[in-house]
Amino acid sequence: MAFINASVLAILAFLLLAVYKFIVHPTFILPLSRIPNAHWSSPISPLWILWTRYCCRENRDVHAAHLKHGPVVRLAPNELSINDIGGVRTVYAGGFEKGQWYSIFDNYG
């Protein structure tokens, strides 16, 4: 009996940890959680924006999210869409870390 109780307790602890790590933490605790979400699943998974891109509806749906929520919208757990010239300047000229892809804009060093 004690073995069954310990295994059930371990499974329950694992499930609670997984719910916290993948749902509660990205949805309510991360600093990005203050930014409005384009879709209810945006803080949890990037599947919504990936499906929208696959169906060729990205521009329409992201524009609708900006009209509804404002100039900054969260599209995925680590992806934002900025529709404001001041915000775009801050991101692209403000020293934020950019991926290797952005090196195509580095024309003169």
Side-chain angles (χ1 to χ4, degrees), residues 74-90:
R74 188 176 184 186
L75 302 177
N78 293 319
E79 184 176 352
L80 300 177
S81 175
I82 301 173
N83 189 19
D84 178 53
I85 190 67
V88 171
R89 278 193 194 127
T90 301

Side-chain angles (χ1 to χ4, degrees), residues 21-97:
K21 180 171 175 45
F22 295 111
I23 296 176
V24 174
H25 189 260
T27 305
F28 301 111
I29 297 174
L30 283 179
L32 289 178
S33 66
R34 292 183 229 131
I35 297 171
N37 300 315
H39 189 260
W40 65 267
S41 65
S42 295
I44 300 167
S45 169
L47 290 178
W48 172 78
I49 193 63
L50 294 175
W51 180 255
T52 303
R53 289 174 181 154
Y54 176 76
C55 294
C56 299
R57 295 188 327 245
E58 181 181 10
N59 289 342
R60 178 180 47 206
D61 289 352
V62 172
H63 179 67
H66 280 295
L67 291 175
K68 183 177 180 183
H69 298 293
V72 180
V73 176
R74 188 176 184 186
L75 302 177
N78 293 319
E79 184 176 352
L80 300 177
S81 175
I82 301 173
N83 189 19
D84 178 53
I85 190 67
V88 171
R89 278 193 194 127
T90 301
V91 170
Y92 289 101
F96 282 87
E97 182 180 336

